[in-house]
């Protein structure tokens, strides 16, 4: 298989309403990375927000033990949460809160669970991108039931990884690329082209400002493709559950 | 929807080879109960077995937080494993070990992870039934690579729930039935019709020996149906991944 | 020592009111298996039951570290509860709730603690059988103080193990038998001969339905003997504490 | 019941060999305080001592949940060990190591478990005093089997509490006294009249040096009584298990 | 460096108001042992004291991982608190409560955190001595704001270690002495010369009552020196933060 | 106090060799943010690196409970590590590894502990900047003892925060600024002007690419000032411990 071009995404596949219980759900696939995202609504908020009319949103990310090439032990068996797991959960939570008007949400909490079923690099960006869809479903449901003000979701948010592998820029790193990357960057963007979060890291390498800029160019270049398929998934009616949409 | 007859299973759907990394995997569905089962092989055994030429098999069962009607917190966040989770993990482990010849397995350990994606009653029986398929795939792989002796899987094992709901016998309880059951019984059976495990429990009710016998009749009655679709899933080649088989 | 006949219990010894603080207590011995059972009453119920007028009952089982042939570490030192410990706690809790009318109990919670002082097989059945006595004492005390309605304890519950060892049926397995058992079954029964719970397990073996029936015959056969000594222990006045009753 | 005189112990009762599995065991009672002490031998030592020919001794203290007037939760359920529990375990361990010649013990570890069955004050002193007996049994067994050098137990160790209650000195505080004590002191002494540990604490009160001296006088005054009954328990042959010795 | 004389303290250095946020703080140095003590006030009390008009005081002791010669893992990473850490926290808490009139404190809680920055023996006595200063600052602040009654701190409390090293008495053991001590004793005293706590321990050795008395003589002998520098630190105005006072 | 200009750092103060035990140490102050950084060397590496001749570096970040305006509970008491704490520990570890040649380090592990004594914003950047100094001391020591190859520290690494507060750019945010920041970015840079890590986050806000560029300009603008004082601290001989260097 020839290497993708620098600006080429892996195929994205979205299966909305994939689970019957949650207020929103989607199975998102970036190539061989598959993440199940669900949104759960509760009519209460953390104590510090109580009585202020404002809502809250948070996220929890985890991986099934055999989502990866070799089996990793469950955090629950080890009795402590992996640092990486917590870090990614917090990143996704910030990404989603950036596009939610918490005042319009009313005193509701939305928890977006992102569970990696199969991993091949880019799980946190797939989770953020899919999490936005589950969140949108849940907010739409709340709106339709008059349980929150309209416009609580200001716009869509999407995320993609980009890096430098063997001295070459590459969008949307898979696991093999990621393992060999000199620089690995995650970019969280709104549909309107603003930044929510930039996390660029050299692993045993450093990088220059013009490389940072080139990586941002690639990330913003794929934004319309991602937000288009996201929007279609959000607009899929519940009656068409398990229909898969693609880029 | 009319109530199923006493001896009627929900539709069973099996999608083998559903995940690329594990040595064996299947998505098993009993109606709206969906469980992802994977088998992971490691070339080592617990210390107490080391050097004896014998293998080991174990299982871990868990549920995604929103597999159920309302969200439940992850055990990893609470820092301790739920008693029910451990109890079911141990049950599945015993079921699988009952049909494996650990001496023929050689010094390999197989961990069968059963993660409930969506729950509607009967998760432990679906997990045991699907776990056997993932296990069979893994053992077949080991055999084909000459890493274990042939015949390590003696026969298939399957499980089904049966209970008494509103004074009537019922096979394969869904969540609503299970919540109202006077008696709930899980039966683990081999393909040849022997018992591996019987767990019958009255919840706030008691039951009579003839009721126990009637429930066992129902459980054994559906055994051919289940083992037939299990065998077809086991025989599905890797090239036909994501083809779904039904009862 | 010749092997007991298939239907022969080990001697049962009961010392009621063995501890001064709890609302009910008994030291129960099945041969060399000694379990201290206490019942503790609190005037409150779990939140989900609050305000409904209903009570609750639960159980916690544990073993002293040197109850067994070799010392096992305390769960508190390991920071997690052993799966087996939780599983047995849940079994005993279900057994006791099966014979309590929670509505008559009023908004009281009873916790039955079963701590194994010395183990020689059958600890869970001894604990269930003794737990019923401690529970009966506590309920009688509540009744005498007008803190619950009369008849909250519907009838007695007892438990016994039965198995297949060296291809022969055996009632009330001791540790050596249990270690070699092909099948191990625990039967929880009410004094009136109904089933509360059946848990039969093959360990590396399977079993047939007629064997299951034979095992149940043995279990029900010894029921009058057990409930007789239970009743005598319940009827022992507090002034006769530390008198030991036997089968 | 009139208050005991300042120098009067509660009755001490010792039942040696009370449990069949451990290398040493005794049930010790100081009035209504009952502690089961067992000694467990393992043929290994902590890593830091390995290969030096020296042994090790340690202790673990705990309470059954209903040893006290109101039920306390198990540490294992809370996932952490109570500070008081650890502190007392360490105290008992130091007391026992003070009278053991670790070099003569050889590369054996002895763990003395002290589990409070029923509590009425003075549990740590009863545990230390009883722990010495279980330890002595275990060492005698090792000596008789040629697994350690003779004389590994240098002498007996005993402990007693003493305090100031309502401005009056009192030996061997029970729970009611202890709750009202202005000063509470635990004294660990050898049979030959040397100090191993002195822990005197004012709880919301302070005390003077002459009061400290008077308390020590009381503690040493009862030492012959305690060591006499200890010695008799140690000398009780295994064949006389369950015979109770008293002061 | 010649060994200090038996009654010679290491230099004590106190830097009050060393941290800007807490209600009281001091850096206390006993030679190369450096402990940062802070007092934090909260306007609430533990539930059992609520509504009684009484306050509470507690302490938490810990060590930075490289306060010692070789690095020790953080308790937070191990998921459990070291027994020694808890034991010392409880000792300091008792020492401070001994000199506080909790009724005058009103419904305020004061937590004194003692974190060892650098350790060279005697950390618990330095922590108790410094903790008293931070506590005094916090109480003075509450008094000046009319948030507690005057006189809530009854008098000062100080602590010092004393032991027997190479058969010789020694005040204020440093790490090297402590490691070789036959007897190690911690004495907590009030400024007026009363005892709050005595903890004397032989480590593999025993000791005689006249040695106990000689150790107490040494401890009380240095009390005026310690309380003098404590009082000067307490009287240092906030404007002179980071001025260091010495004995 | 007038607001600092957009490109103005708070005063930086460095006190190298502030602790006697570690192989490297420095107290770093960014205004009122004070972090104690120590480097600890161990002659061993994680198992996965063993025998490859390569070293390892890691970092642990934590805060004293009253480093902040209100007291926060210790992670060790809660039995789990805060997500933020882990995230920052990982960031500092990556920053330090970016400038270490692990092959030249030999099979040594260096742990850099960064403990926040007093917090006023920017603790992670102060910790990274100070951690580099402690690391440099430790590596210099290893080199001087011939325990690693020369040049193991390739160059210095420094970090600074920059953000947008009330619509204005600002370098080096203090706590009050940080609490009100629309965007908060941490930049980790090498002395030669390369990027190691960029983490820019909108909290309830988004930001544009030109704002990202302006923030990077500010970060790089202050780099010479920081690396100058870092170099002076590294070059301070051990004999001048506790001399404080400033920008």
């Amino acid at each position: 298989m020839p290497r993708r071009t620098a600006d080429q995404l892996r195929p994205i596949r979205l299966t909305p309403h994939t689970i019957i219980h949650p207020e929103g759900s989607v199975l998102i696939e970036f190539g061989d990375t598959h993440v199940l995202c669900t949104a759960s609504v509760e009519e209460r908020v953390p104590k510090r927000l109580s009585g202020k009319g404002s809502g809250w949103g948070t996220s929890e990310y985890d991986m099934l033990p055999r989502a990866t090439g070799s089996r990793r032990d469950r955090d629950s068996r080890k009795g402590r949460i992996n640092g990486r797991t917590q870090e990614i959960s917090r990143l996704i939570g910030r990404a989603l809160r950036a596009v939610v008007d918490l005042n319009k949400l009313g005193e509701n909490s939305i928890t977006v669970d992102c569970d990696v079923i199969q991993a091949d690099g880019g799980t946190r960006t797939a989770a953020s991108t899919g999490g936005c869809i589950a969140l949108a479903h849940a907010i739409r449901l709340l709106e339709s039931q008059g349980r929150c003000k309209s416009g609580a979701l200001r716009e869509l948010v999407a995320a993609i990884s980009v890096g430098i592998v063997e001295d070459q820029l590459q969008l949307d790193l898979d696991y093999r690329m990621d393992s060999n990357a000199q620089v690995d960057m995650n970019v969280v963007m709104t549909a309107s082209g603003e930044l929510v979060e930039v996390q660029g890291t050299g692993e045993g390498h450093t990088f220059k400002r013009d490389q940072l800029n080139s990586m941002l160019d690639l990330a913003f270049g794929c934004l319309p493709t991602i937000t288009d398929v996201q929007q279609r998934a959000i607009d899929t009616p519940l009656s068409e559950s398990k229909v898969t949409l693609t880029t």
Side-chain angles (χ1 to χ4, degrees), chain A:
Chain A
M1 195 164 52
R3 176 163 165 173
R4 280 183 277 127
T5 58
D7 63 352
Q8 196 179 349
L9 289 171
R10 291 177 286 177
I12 296 176
R13 295 162 52 90
L14 298 177
T15 311
H17 313 305
T18 190
I19 299 288
I20 57 174
H21 299 301
E23 284 72 31
S25 72
V26 70
L27 176 68
I28 187 165
E29 304 176 25
F30 278 17
D32 280 332
T33 288
H34 301 182
V35 185
L36 180 62
C37 305
T38 64
S40 298
V41 176
E42 286 176 299
E43 285 193 27
R44 56 170 191 179
V45 287
K47 208 178 289 180
R48 71 193 149 79
L49 295 177
S50 184
K52 299 186 178 166
S54 170
W56 187 241
T58 188
S59 181
E60 291 189 7
Y61 165 98
D62 206 356
M63 257 192 200
L64 293 192
R66 197 56 199 281
T68 43
S70 58
R71 188 177 182 277
R72 63 192 267 285
D73 286 339
R74 293 170 195 266
D75 283 354
S76 59
R77 303 277 159 157
K78 291 183 291 184
R80 60 177 59 189
I81 309 174
N82 190 276
R84 179 184 168 278
T85 299
Q86 285 198 60
E87 192 171 319
I88 298 177
S89 296
R90 289 158 54 88
L91 167 71
I92 301 169
R94 287 192 303 266
L96 299 179
R97 284 193 299 273
V99 292
V100 172
D101 185 330
L102 295 173
N103 289 316
K104 289 191 175 160
L105 191 57
E107 294 214 350
N108 295 296
S109 287
I110 303 182
T111 303
V112 173
D113 286 289
C114 299
D115 285 90
V116 180
I117 302 295
Q118 184 174 284
D120 186 33
T123 61
R124 80 186 71 186
T125 54
S128 300
T129 302
C132 176
I133 297 165
L135 177 71
H137 285 151
I139 287 177
R140 187 167 290 187
L141 180 71
L142 285 175
E143 286 176 355
S144 74
Q145 297 174 339
R147 293 164 60 195
C148 77
K149 296 190 190 139
S150 95
L153 185 66
R154 284 198 289 242
E155 63 175 322
L156 299 190
V157 65
I160 198 69
S161 76
V162 53
I164 302 176
V165 185
E166 295 169 12
D167 298 318
Q168 290 191 296
L169 289 166
Q170 178 65 53
L171 191 66
D172 190 19
L173 309 185
D174 63 23
Y175 177 73
R176 197 186 46 77
M177 292 168 173
D178 192 48
S179 308
N180 295 303
Q182 294 145 321
V183 184
D184 175 23
M185 190 160 88
N186 294 291
V187 186
V188 184
M189 306 158 285
T190 65
S192 62
E194 301 239 322
L195 283 160
V196 174
E197 184 128 0
V198 175
Q199 290 195 342
T201 304
E203 257 304 335
H205 286 76
T206 57
F207 55 109
K208 294 182 200 304
R209 284 190 63 178
D210 62 351
Q211 292 175 312
L212 174 67
N213 275 320
S214 301
M215 290 190 284
L216 286 169
D217 288 344
L218 286 179
F220 278 99
C222 73
L223 183 59
T225 305
I226 300 180
T227 54
D228 169 69
V229 72
Q230 275 183 308
Q231 190 62 55
R232 282 186 283 134
I234 292 168
D235 292 341
T236 301
L238 200 53
S239 57
E240 288 174 33
S241 77
K242 307 221 168 170
V243 171
T244 297
L245 308 170
T246 56
T247 42

